[in-house]
Each structure stands twice: as C-alpha cells, then as structure tokens.
Amino acid sequence: MFSLKYSNLQKKFIKQGYAIFKIDNIQNLNYIKKKVEQILTGGKINLNNFHKSKDNIDLNKTRLKIIQKININNKFKLKYFNIFEAALNEIVGSEISMQKNIGLNIQTPKDSNSLIEMHADTYAGESNFEVVTWLPLVNVFKTKSMYILPIKYSREVEKNILKYNEKGTDTIFNKYRKKIKFLNLKFGEGLIFTSNVLHGNKINLTNQTRFSFNCRFKSIFSPQNLKLTNKTNSNMYSSVSLKPASIIGLEYINKL
C-alpha cells in the first residue's frame, strides 16, 4: 500500500481545518476590489475608511446593492473562482461545484449589527465535505478579522453540542478563548476552511472597516450533509469544472 505525499497547503488544512494562501493572480483580486469601489462611489474610496462615507448611512442597503450587482456578473464570479481554483484543486478536487451566490460581509468599527455568532456551517445543513472560501479586500487582523476554532477543538465542542446549546456560544468562546484563532490576512491572501469548524466574528474594535467575500465550494460528487438532507446540489450549487467522462456519465444517468 502506498502513502500520499501532501503539499504544505494540504497539511495545514488537515491539521487546522483551514489554510491561508497567497493569491497568485493579483489582477483578479484587483478587478474584484475595483468593481466594489465603483459600485460604492465610482471608485473614489478607501475601503478601510468606508465607515466615514455616505454609503454607510444605510449599511444593509449598501451591502445588498453590492451583492445583487456582483451575482449577476458572470465575469466577477469567474474571477472569484479563479483566485481560489488552484487551492481548491488541492483541497477539494478538480471537479467542483460553486455556490450560486457569493456572500459579502461589511464590518465597520464598533458596529454590533454585523456580528456573526460562533457556528459551523454543517449545523445549518451544509455538506460535511464542503469548504468555505473567504476573500478580504483589505488587510485584516484582530477583531477586524474573523476567528476560527481549529478542527481538533471544534470536534470536542460537537461531542458536547447539546450541553452548549443550553448555555450558548459565549460559553464555548470563553472556554476555548486561548485556542481560538483571529486570522491575520494581508490584501493578496485568501482563506479556505472546512464547513465543520466553528467560526464567527466579534465587534470590530479597530478604526478600520472590513470588506470580505465568502462562497462555498464542494466536489460535484460529494454528498450533502449526512444528517440533514434539505439542501441539494441543484438548488445550492452550479458546476464549474466538469470533466468529459463526468459530462457523459451524468447525461446517461439523467436519461434513465
């Protein structure tokens, strides 16, 4: 029996449940950032200082405006996928499904309305085989970023999830405070994490705004959540990289 040799990216992902990588094609990232800036004020804005602009008056309206515009832009979606494609090939495989809509989080200083409580996506019915991609458009650090509880400790929590359901997520956060990782990413870096790890954010105590996109990916042939089956490939994902043999095989099955 032979053993596989994993790359450094694969080793980090297996050990931590997440991996940060440097984006090779920075032009794609610049395109995405520029599109967001154009939607906001025609391109004349520093995203770090967004909270000082008039677009921050109705933050949710602004966020929805950006989401609507980018998700009807196939070029935008393709460039987003291209940023993560090489890393996804290593971690997920070469035949990939992409979530139909890319998500956006805007977290301004001291705003309590943009909080995402600690959770794991699998708890909400997402596939255990799924990964989440996270793309900040600015440097992120400390509370300007998100946090992850590495896979080892997330598994410990899951074993006792009924107990924690009664006490709330703050209990988990306080117990594992020293294990939780607030992620530091520079502009030009991306993050991939498994849907099985606990993650979230806290109130942004810095004087800068965070813009970050997120989108889920999974292998086309991996199953949905093994415990919850209300979500399917067809209503959640679009195939983006089918191989010829799979195209023929799926056509054959669909004709049966």
Side-chain angles (χ1 to χ4, degrees), residues 61-73:
K61 181 179 178 181
T62 297
R63 188 180 68 85
L64 291 175
K65 177 183 175 182
I66 296 172
I67 288 174
Q68 289 168 355
K69 286 185 177 294
I70 66 168
N71 280 306
I72 60 172
N73 185 336

Side-chain angles (χ1 to χ4, degrees), residues 31-32 35-36 39 63-78 80 100-104 137 212-214:
Y31 170 88
I32 285 175
K35 282 297 177 186
V36 172
I39 294 170
R63 188 180 68 85
L64 291 175
K65 177 183 175 182
I66 296 172
I67 288 174
Q68 289 168 355
K69 286 185 177 294
I70 66 168
N71 280 306
I72 60 172
N73 185 336
N74 287 333
K75 183 177 180 181
F76 187 101
K77 287 184 174 182
L78 178 60
Y80 184 96
K100 290 183 178 180
N101 291 315
I102 298 171
L104 169 67
L137 300 186
S212 57
F213 286 110
N214 61 82

Side-chain angles (χ1 to χ4, degrees), residues 9 13 17-23 29 32 48 63 76 79-85 87-88 91-92 98-99 101-108 114-116 119 121 130-148 181-195 197-202 204 208-217:
L9 184 72
F13 191 85
Y18 69 91
I20 296 169
F21 68 96
K22 185 176 181 180
I23 296 169
L29 179 57
I32 285 175
N48 282 303
R63 188 180 68 85
F76 187 101
K79 287 188 177 293
Y80 184 96
F81 170 69
N82 288 155
I83 284 172
F84 289 94
E85 184 175 9
L88 287 168
I91 292 172
V92 177
M98 179 178 180
Q99 185 179 349
N101 291 315
I102 298 171
L104 169 67
N105 185 260
I106 304 173
Q107 192 176 16
T108 56
S114 299
L115 287 180
I116 299 175
H119 68 286
D121 290 11
E130 182 184 83
V131 299
V132 183
T133 57
W134 195 69
L135 183 67
L137 300 186
V138 290
N139 294 342
V140 295
F141 51 90
K142 297 181 179 178
T143 53
K144 188 188 175 188
S145 185
M146 62 172 284
Y147 64 79
I148 283 180
K181 305 292 183 183
F182 278 90
L183 304 179
N184 294 333
L185 279 79
K186 295 180 179 178
F187 178 77
E189 293 182 315
L191 166 71
I192 299 181
F193 61 93
T194 172
S195 60
V197 293
L198 289 159
H199 59 283
N201 64 18
K202 290 291 185 181
N204 179 4
Q208 299 175 358
T209 295
R210 164 164 65 88
F211 276 77
S212 57
F213 286 110
N214 61 82
C215 190
R216 299 181 179 97
F217 292 85

Side-chain angles (χ1 to χ4, degrees), residues 5 27 50 54 91 95 117 126 141 149 223 227:
K5 290 185 177 180
Q27 289 82 6
F50 165 80
K54 63 181 181 181
I91 292 172
E95 293 188 283
E117 293 292 335
E126 303 298 343
F141 51 90
L149 182 62
K227 298 177 182 178

Side-chain angles (χ1 to χ4, degrees), residues 16 20 41 55 58-59 62 79 87-88 97 131 136 142 154 171 174 190 203 224-225 228 231 238 240 242:
Q16 302 174 152
I20 296 169
T41 57
D55 287 314
D58 190 336
L59 182 58
T62 297
K79 287 188 177 293
L88 287 168
S97 292
V131 299
K142 297 181 179 178
S154 288
T171 302
N174 291 331
I203 291 177
Q224 290 301 303
N225 189 295
L228 303 171
K231 299 186 179 182
S238 296
V240 292
L242 271 176

